[in-house]
Amino acid sequence: MYSLYRSVSTQKRTCPLLSVQPIRGLVDEKFKFVVTNLPPNQKVTLHSLHQSDDKDFWEAFGHYVSDEHGSVTGFKDESLGGTFEGTEPMGLLWSMRPTSGSRHGIRLRKRDTFRPMEVCISVYSGHISQGFSQQTPLATSVSERWYIAPGVKRVNIREKNLRGTLFLPPGSGPYPAVLDLWGGGGGLVEYRSAILASHGFASMALEYLGPEDLRLEDTDASYFERAYQILNNHPMVKKDNLAVLGLSIGSVITLNMVSYSKVIKPKCCVCISGSHLVPVNKSLFELFEQLKNHADKLRVNEDNQVIYRNLHLAISCESGKVDVGRIKCPLLLVNGDDDQTFPAVESAEDMAMMMEKAGNRHLLEILTYPGAGHLIEPPYSPHFRATKYKLQETNETIVMLWGGQTKPHAYAQEDAWKKILAFLWQHLSAP
Amino acid sequence: MYSLYRSVSTQMRTCPLLSVQPVRGLLDEKFQIVVTNLPPNQKVTLHSLHQSDDKDFWEAFGHYVSDEHGSVAGFKDESLGGTYEGTEPMGLLWSMRPIPGSRHGLRLRKRDIFRPMEVCISVYCEHLSQGFSQQTPLATSVTERWYIAPGVKRINIMEKEIQGTLFLPPGSGTYPGVLDLWGGGGGLVEYRSALLASHGFASMALEYTQDTDASYFEKAYQILNNHPMVKKDHLAVLGLSLGSAITLSMTSYSKVIKPQCCVCISGSHLMPVDKSLSDLFELMKNNADKLCVNENNQVILRNLILSLPSQSAKIDVGRIKCPLLLVNGDDDQAVPVVESAEDMAKMMKKAGNRHLLEILMYPGAGHLIEPPYSPHFRATNYKLQWTNERIVMLWGGQTKPHAYAQEDAWKKILAFLWQHLSAP
C-alpha cells in the first residue's frame, strides 16, 4: 500500500524520511519500515521506544547501513548488531527490553486493551547502543499497535462471584467462542481475548485467581463449568462451537476439565506451556496446598531465580496424573523446550504415551519450539527469561525463571499464533 | 500488506470473507476491499455505512459480480451500478449520501477529530439498492478512517482574543507551519489542520467572526510564527471560500503576514475584506437583490459576488510576492471562481508577478473542495452570516468529478506546501 505521505514526501523533501506501514496495525500484524533520503552507505541505528501501561520504558535497536540509494529497508536489510541481528522485520518489537536504569524483573503487559501500544521509531546517525535520549534523531515516526480491531465490543461478565470479560467480534454474530484461561499470575488478563475477538472469535477471559469475593476453596470444577455455560449460552455465541485455550496453570485446568467434566465439552482445546502432572481434583486451594507442601523441591539458579519445573514432577509421584486418555476432542499442545517453569516437554511425551494406550492419540498435536521458554505470548511481544512473580501458594515475591532465548522464543510466538488460529478455525468453523 | 487474518481465514473457512486493508487508515489513504470464498459469478452488493458525529447515517453501495474464483476486488473490479459506477476503489466513501428518511440538506463534518470515522463495510447477496438494514450481510468488516496520525498533538490557542487550535506533528519539531482559514460557515473547523499535522505541518485552525479585521489575522499569524515548535518564517496560509478571500487580502496588503506561499481553494479576489468582515457582510446584505435561487429554491451566491466590484475595489493581487496556488471547481455556484481566476491572472500579468500564480481548475467540481474521499454535497443547509437567514446553498459540482478533484487537489496542495516550505 503506497502511502500518500511517502509519495509526496520523497519527491519534494531532502531530509531523511522514515516511513512505518501500517501506522496503525494489530499487534500480530507485521509492519514495514523504510528510511530514505539518507546519504549512501551511511551507518544508522533504527531505534524503538515504548512506554508501557506500567510507565516503564522499553527499547530495542538495530544497526544498519544504507544502500547506494540512501535507503534502509527493515524487512529485507540485515541488522549488523544491537538488540537483534540479521534480517528481522519485527526485531524492533520482539527484542525490546527495559531501558537502562529501569526496575528489575519487569514484564510488559497491556492493561488497557482499548488503547493501542504506542511505539516511537527513530533513525539515528551512526551505530549507537546507548544514550538515545541525548541524541537528536534524523527522523521519527510513531506507530500504534492495537489489540482490538475496529468494531470489537467488550462485555463485562459478572455473575455471582464469577468475573470475566467477553470480547465480541464486529458484526452481528453469532460467533464461535473461546474460553480463555490465563496463568497463575492471577487477575483478569484481557489482551489475548481482545485479539482473538479481532480474529472473529467471541472470547471470554476468565478471572479465577484474585477476585476478592472468590475464595480459592470455591474455585473448583463448578466455577469453570459455570463460566463455560455462560459463554455457550450467550446469544452472540454459536452454541456448542467452543474451544478452551489455556496458558500455564490455565492449561493445567483445561486438561483437567476436558478430561473429567461432564459439562465442559469443547470442540477443541489449546494448551500452551501446560502439564498433566498436576491433577486438580477438588479446588485450586488444594492444588496450591500441594504446591506449598513440596516447596522444598524448588530450586534456584546462581542468579537466585526460581526454577519451578521440578515441583510438578514431584507432585505427580504422589497424586497421579490427569487421565488424558479420556479426552474426546482435538488437543493442541504448544510448548517451548527451554521451559524452566513447567516440565512441558516431559508432560507432552507422557501424554502422547497415555493417549496411545487409550486409543485417542490421533486427537493430539504437539508443537515443541526449540529455545522457547514458558511465556508463549502473542507475536512480537518481548521475551522475558526471568521476571518478578508472586507465588500464589505462599504470597512470596520471587524472581521466576521462565526460560527461553530471545530469538527462538520470538519465532515460537509468531509461528505458534498462526497455528493456534488455524487450529481454532479448523475445528470451530460451523457449516 | 498481506494480513495474518486473511491468510489463516482463507485456508480454513468456507463462508464469504471480506477484508478491508488497512483496517485503520488515515483519511486520505486508499483502502483495498477484497471479498473471497463467494460462489463464482455471483451478484453481490458492497455497502458502506457510517454514523456521523451529528448522528445521521450515510451510506454508499456498488453492484459487483464475483469472478471465476469467487472473488471481488474493489480496487480493480467494476461496479455495475449503485451510488458509483466503474472501477472506483474509494467509491464506497466519496459517493456516500444520507440514508432514505434522513433530514434534508445535511453535510458530513467531523467534530471530534481524535476519534476516527468508523465505516461499516458489508457484502450482501444480489444487487440491492435499498433496505440494507433489513437484510443479513454475507460478511461485515469495520474500518476506521483517522484524521490524525499517531503522535499528533493538539494545543488550544487562546491568546488575547485569538481562538484557534494548533496541531503539531509527531516528533520534536521544528516544523513548517500552516495558518488554516476555513470558510464563512464559521466556528472552529479543525479536521483539515489535523490532517495537515499528520503530514508534517504545524497547522493552526483559526476561528474568526464577522467582527474581525486585519489585525486579528496578523496576530494569529504571529502567534504561529513565534511558536517554539514552528520553523520561523516557514509558513503558508491555506484558505477555503471566505478564508481564501481573507488569504488573498492579507497576502496582498499586510505588512505582517508574509508567508512562503499560499493556497486558495474556491476563493475570489472580488470579495473585499481589507477592512473588517462586517463591512463585507453589510455589502452583501445591501445587494441581496442580486441573489438568485434555482427551481429547487437553492441559493446561488456567485452572482451576488460578481456584482460587488461595481461598488468597491477588487483585491490588488498584483502586490502578491509569494507563490500562490488557486484550487477551483468550474461548477462552483457559490463563488465566481472561474471569472475571478481569469481576472487575477490578467492583473498579475500586468503587475509582473504572473509567474507566482498556479491555477488548478477542475471540471465538474463544485465549491466545497474538501480532503479526499469526503462525500460530495451539491446543496446543503446554510446560515447566511449577513442576515442570519437559513437557506439551502447550492455549492455545485457533480459527484464523480468532484471526488476526483478532491483527491487530485489534495496531493497537489501537499506537494506545493512541501516544495515551498522545505527548509535546507
Side-chain angles (χ1 to χ4, degrees):
Chain A
M1 175 109 9
Y2 197 64
S3 85
L4 173 69
Y5 180 65
R6 213 189 313 167
S7 67
V8 165
S9 301
T10 46
Q11 291 160 23
K12 300 286 166 197
R13 297 167 67 188
T14 47
C15 49
L17 292 172
L18 169 61
S19 147
V20 183
Q21 292 291 331
I23 44 164
R24 291 182 167 96
L26 286 183
V27 286
D28 54 6
E29 204 172 339
K30 283 188 148 97
F31 59 27
K32 289 186 182 187
F33 62 84
V34 180
V35 192
T36 47
N37 283 6
L38 289 166
N41 306 314
Q42 158 90 41
K43 283 185 183 169
V44 291
T45 302
L46 265 291
H47 178 260
S48 60
L49 185 67
H50 166 68
Q51 186 175 28
S52 69
D53 286 357
D54 295 326
K55 304 297 175 210
D56 302 296
F57 284 96
W58 293 73
E59 68 177 357
F61 56 92
H63 295 152
Y64 292 86
V65 179
S66 64
D67 62 17
E68 62 269 22
H69 306 292
S71 296
V72 172
T73 310
F75 58 92
K76 62 179 186 59
D77 292 346
E78 278 193 44
S79 163
L80 308 168
T83 58
F84 65 98
E85 281 175 14
T87 306
E88 297 289 354
M90 304 301 289
L92 282 175
L93 288 181
W94 56 251
S95 74
M96 275 185 161
R97 61 210 189 170
T99 55
S100 46
S102 295
R103 309 177 286 155
H104 286 290
I106 53 179
R107 206 164 146 178
L108 183 59
R109 315 292 298 275
K110 193 78 181 79
R111 304 202 182 278
D112 182 354
T113 54
F114 274 76
R115 291 181 60 79
M117 176 186 178
E118 256 194 37
V119 183
C120 191
I121 313 258
S122 304
V123 195
Y124 291 86
S125 195
H127 284 173
I128 52 181
S129 299
Q130 55 191 5
F132 290 96
S133 52
Q134 285 95 48
Q135 305 258 0
T136 304
L138 298 172
T140 291
S141 180
V142 180
S143 175
E144 287 177 0
R145 312 282 298 163
W146 289 76
Y147 280 87
I148 50 153
V152 163
K153 304 169 278 287
R154 183 183 184 285
V155 178
N156 283 332
I157 303 288
R158 300 278 184 275
E159 285 191 34
K160 291 180 218 163
N161 57 0
L162 193 141
R163 273 172 51 102
T165 308
L166 176 62
F167 288 91
L168 295 169
S172 49
Y175 318 94
V178 177
L179 179 63
D180 183 7
L181 304 177
W182 204 260
L188 184 49
V189 182
E190 295 184 338
Y191 55 87
R192 191 170 62 189
S193 278
I195 187 111
L196 284 169
S198 303
H199 286 284
F201 301 98
S203 185
M204 183 159 113
L206 180 68
E207 185 169 11
Y208 60 90
L209 284 172
E212 279 160 15
D213 49 350
L214 177 66
R215 306 178 313 147
L216 282 176
E217 291 87 343
D218 298 328
T219 319
D220 58 10
S222 69
Y223 183 82
F224 298 98
E225 287 172 344
R226 214 158 24 101
Y228 186 89
Q229 281 172 319
I230 288 170
L231 183 60
N232 199 21
N233 293 331
H234 195 279
M236 303 283 261
V237 168
K238 262 194 187 119
K239 208 166 164 58
D240 298 327
N241 272 277
L242 263 62
V244 184
L245 167 65
L247 168 75
S248 193
I249 290 192
S251 289
V252 169
I253 293 165
T254 302
L255 289 170
N256 271 278
M257 295 296 116
V258 150
S259 302
Y260 299 119
S261 171
K262 291 184 170 45
V263 171
I264 295 179
K265 302 218 166 293
K267 281 263 162 88
C268 66
C269 289
V270 180
C271 291
I272 304 173
S273 302
S275 155
H276 72 312
L277 300 173
V278 185
V280 186
N281 297 317
K282 300 190 183 66
S283 73
L284 287 187
F285 178 77
E286 263 94 38
L287 166 66
F288 288 122
E289 277 300 299
Q290 268 195 316
L291 292 170
K292 204 156 85 178
N293 293 342
H294 286 84
D296 54 311
K297 309 286 188 319
L298 277 183
R299 289 174 36 215
V300 290
N301 65 7
E302 62 276 9
D303 296 316
N304 212 30
Q305 297 162 344
V306 170
I307 306 169
Y308 203 78
R309 62 197 316 283
N310 299 318
L311 215 59
H312 284 209
L313 291 163
I315 287 173
S316 81
C317 294
E318 271 187 22
S319 16
K321 305 174 276 197
V322 176
D323 188 2
V324 292
R326 298 164 56 102
I327 290 177
K328 298 212 171 359
C329 68
L331 170 63
L332 176 66
L333 301 182
V334 178
N335 297 321
D337 80 355
D338 193 39
D339 190 332
Q340 296 297 318
T341 313
F342 277 18
V345 174
E346 295 91 319
S347 166
E349 280 172 10
D350 192 67
M351 284 175 63
M353 275 196 297
M354 289 174 78
M355 290 173 83
E356 173 91 37
K357 215 166 164 186
N360 61 346
R361 173 65 179 86
H362 60 285
L363 294 174
L364 182 66
E365 191 182 339
I366 306 175
L367 299 174
T368 303
Y369 291 96
H374 186 72
L375 294 178
I376 299 177
E377 299 245 25
Y380 319 127
S381 311
H383 163 246
F384 327 100
R385 187 161 170 82
T387 68
K388 286 208 176 75
Y389 187 80
K390 189 159 94 165
L391 284 178
Q392 291 288 343
E393 52 266 38
T394 57
N395 265 344
E396 197 189 339
T397 299
I398 52 147
V399 177
M400 183 77 95
L401 182 69
W402 307 111
Q405 300 299 328
T406 297
K407 188 159 164 170
H409 193 89
Y411 169 77
Q413 290 187 154
E414 188 178 347
D415 190 72
W417 185 247
K418 286 196 200 86
K419 297 199 158 95
I420 289 169
L421 289 176
F423 178 82
L424 291 173
W425 274 126
Q426 182 186 353
H427 297 292
L428 294 181
S429 275
Chain B
M1 173 108 14
Y2 197 66
S3 84
L4 172 68
Y5 180 64
R6 214 188 313 164
S7 67
V8 165
S9 301
T10 46
Q11 292 159 22
M12 296 296 159
R13 298 168 66 188
T14 48
C15 49
L17 292 171
L18 169 62
S19 147
V20 183
Q21 290 291 333
V23 114
R24 291 182 166 96
L26 282 184
L27 197 81
D28 53 9
E29 204 173 336
K30 282 187 148 95
F31 57 27
Q32 293 197 356
I33 297 175
V34 179
V35 191
T36 46
N37 282 6
L38 290 166
N41 306 313
Q42 161 87 44
K43 282 185 187 173
V44 293
T45 303
L46 282 187
H47 178 259
S48 61
L49 185 68
H50 166 67
Q51 186 176 27
S52 69
D53 286 357
D54 294 328
K55 303 296 174 210
D56 304 294
F57 284 96
W58 294 72
E59 69 176 359
F61 56 92
H63 295 153
Y64 292 86
V65 179
S66 64
D67 63 16
E68 62 269 23
H69 305 293
S71 297
V72 172
F75 57 96
K76 63 178 183 62
D77 293 346
E78 278 194 45
S79 163
L80 308 168
T83 55
Y84 64 99
E85 282 176 12
T87 306
E88 297 290 352
M90 303 304 288
L92 282 175
L93 289 181
W94 56 251
S95 73
M96 273 184 161
R97 62 209 188 171
I99 58 171
S102 296
R103 307 177 287 154
H104 285 292
L106 295 178
R107 205 162 148 181
L108 184 60
R109 314 295 296 275
K110 194 79 181 75
R111 302 198 186 281
D112 181 356
I113 41 104
F114 273 80
R115 293 180 60 79
M117 177 186 178
E118 256 194 38
V119 182
C120 190
I121 311 267
S122 305
V123 195
Y124 290 87
C125 203
E126 295 304 326
H127 286 172
L128 312 176
S129 299
Q130 56 190 4
F132 291 96
S133 52
Q134 285 96 49
Q135 304 263 357
T136 304
L138 297 172
T140 290
S141 181
V142 180
T143 183
E144 288 174 358
R145 311 284 297 164
W146 289 76
Y147 279 86
I148 49 155
V152 164
K153 305 170 275 289
R154 182 187 185 282
I155 300 174
N156 283 332
I157 302 289
M158 281 185 296
E159 279 184 49
K160 299 167 204 167
E161 70 274 22
I162 308 293
Q163 300 255 18
T165 308
L166 176 62
F167 289 94
L168 294 171
S172 49
T174 56
Y175 318 97
V178 176
L179 182 62
D180 182 8
L181 303 176
W182 205 261
L188 184 49
V189 182
E190 295 183 339
Y191 56 85
R192 193 169 59 191
S193 278
L195 202 51
L196 285 169
S198 303
H199 286 281
F201 301 97
S203 184
M204 183 159 117
L206 182 67
E207 185 169 10
Y208 61 91
T209 64
Q210 60 177 306
D211 300 319
T212 51
D213 60 11
S215 67
Y216 181 85
F217 299 100
E218 287 172 343
K219 277 202 203 84
Y221 185 89
Q222 282 172 319
I223 288 170
L224 182 62
N225 200 22
N226 293 331
H227 195 279
M229 305 282 263
V230 171
K231 264 194 186 116
K232 208 166 164 60
D233 298 329
H234 279 84
L235 262 62
V237 184
L238 166 66
L240 168 75
S241 191
L242 180 59
S244 288
I246 293 164
T247 304
L248 289 170
S249 182
M250 296 295 116
T251 317
S252 302
Y253 300 119
S254 171
K255 292 185 170 44
V256 170
I257 295 179
K258 301 215 168 293
Q260 300 274 112
C261 66
C262 290
V263 180
C264 291
I265 304 173
S266 303
S268 166
H269 69 317
L270 303 174
M271 295 168 77
V273 291
D274 47 316
K275 298 195 184 60
S276 83
L277 286 183
S278 52
D279 287 341
L280 169 67
F281 293 145
E282 265 310 297
L283 200 54
M284 309 268 269
K285 198 155 91 178
N286 295 341
N287 287 273
D289 53 310
K290 309 280 189 324
L291 271 184
C292 299
V293 289
N294 64 7
E295 63 277 9
N296 296 326
N297 212 31
Q298 297 162 344
V299 169
I300 307 169
L301 191 63
R302 63 194 313 282
N303 300 315
L304 194 160
I305 296 175
L306 270 173
S307 73
L308 293 180
S310 53
Q311 297 169 40
S312 58
K314 301 180 281 196
I315 297 172
D316 186 4
V317 293
R319 299 165 54 103
I320 288 177
K321 298 215 171 357
C322 67
L324 170 64
L325 176 66
L326 301 183
V327 178
N328 297 321
D330 79 355
D331 193 41
D332 191 328
Q333 297 296 318
V335 171
V337 294
V338 176
E339 296 90 325
S340 173
E342 277 171 16
D343 192 63
M344 282 175 64
K346 274 199 277 206
M347 288 175 76
M348 291 173 83
K349 193 164 170 94
K350 215 165 163 182
N353 61 346
R354 174 65 180 85
H355 60 285
L356 294 174
L357 181 67
E358 189 182 340
I359 305 174
L360 298 175
M361 187 65 68
Y362 290 98
H367 184 72
L368 294 177
I369 298 177
E370 299 246 25
Y373 319 127
S374 310
H376 163 246
F377 327 100
R378 188 163 169 79
T380 68
N381 298 332
Y382 190 78
K383 190 163 92 167
L384 283 178
Q385 293 88 342
W386 49 92
T387 57
N388 270 340
E389 199 189 336
R390 287 193 180 280
I391 51 142
V392 178
M393 183 78 93
L394 182 69
W395 305 111
Q398 300 301 327
T399 297
K400 189 159 164 171
H402 192 90
Y404 169 77
Q406 291 186 153
E407 188 178 347
D408 190 72
W410 185 246
K411 285 197 202 87
K412 296 200 158 97
I413 289 169
L414 288 176
F416 178 81
L417 290 174
W418 275 123
Q419 183 187 351
H420 296 290
L421 294 180
S422 276

